[in-house]
Short mmCIF file of all heavy atoms in Angstrom, two decimals:
data_model
loop_
_atom_site.label_atom_id
_atom_site.label_comp_id
_atom_site.label_asym_id
_atom_site.label_seq_id
_atom_site.Cartn_x
_atom_site.Cartn_y
_atom_site.Cartn_z
N GLY A 35 1.89 10.99 -15.53
CA GLY A 35 2.66 12.12 -16.05
C GLY A 35 3.77 11.73 -17.00
O GLY A 35 4.03 10.55 -17.27
N SER A 39 8.34 9.61 -11.03
CA SER A 39 8.04 10.10 -9.69
C SER A 39 8.79 9.26 -8.67
O SER A 39 8.67 8.03 -8.66
CB SER A 39 6.54 10.04 -9.41
OG SER A 39 6.23 10.64 -8.18
N PRO A 80 8.47 -5.91 8.48
CA PRO A 80 7.36 -6.88 8.59
C PRO A 80 6.07 -6.22 9.07
O PRO A 80 6.10 -5.36 9.96
CB PRO A 80 7.86 -7.88 9.61
CG PRO A 80 9.32 -7.65 9.75
CD PRO A 80 9.58 -6.24 9.36
N VAL A 98 -1.55 8.91 -8.94
CA VAL A 98 -2.86 8.49 -8.44
C VAL A 98 -2.62 7.18 -7.70
O VAL A 98 -1.95 6.28 -8.21
CB VAL A 98 -3.87 8.29 -9.59
CG1 VAL A 98 -5.19 7.76 -9.05
CG2 VAL A 98 -4.07 9.60 -10.33
N GLN A 100 -4.13 4.01 -4.92
CA GLN A 100 -5.31 3.28 -4.46
C GLN A 100 -4.85 2.16 -3.53
O GLN A 100 -3.81 1.55 -3.74
CB GLN A 100 -6.01 2.69 -5.67
CG GLN A 100 -7.20 1.82 -5.36
CD GLN A 100 -7.86 1.36 -6.64
OE1 GLN A 100 -8.25 2.16 -7.48
NE2 GLN A 100 -7.99 0.06 -6.80
N ALA A 112 -13.86 -11.29 0.14
CA ALA A 112 -14.30 -9.94 0.44
C ALA A 112 -13.19 -9.01 -0.04
O ALA A 112 -12.08 -9.00 0.51
CB ALA A 112 -14.53 -9.77 1.94
#
Side-chain angles (χ1 to χ4, degrees):
S39 186
V98 176
Q100 176 177 304

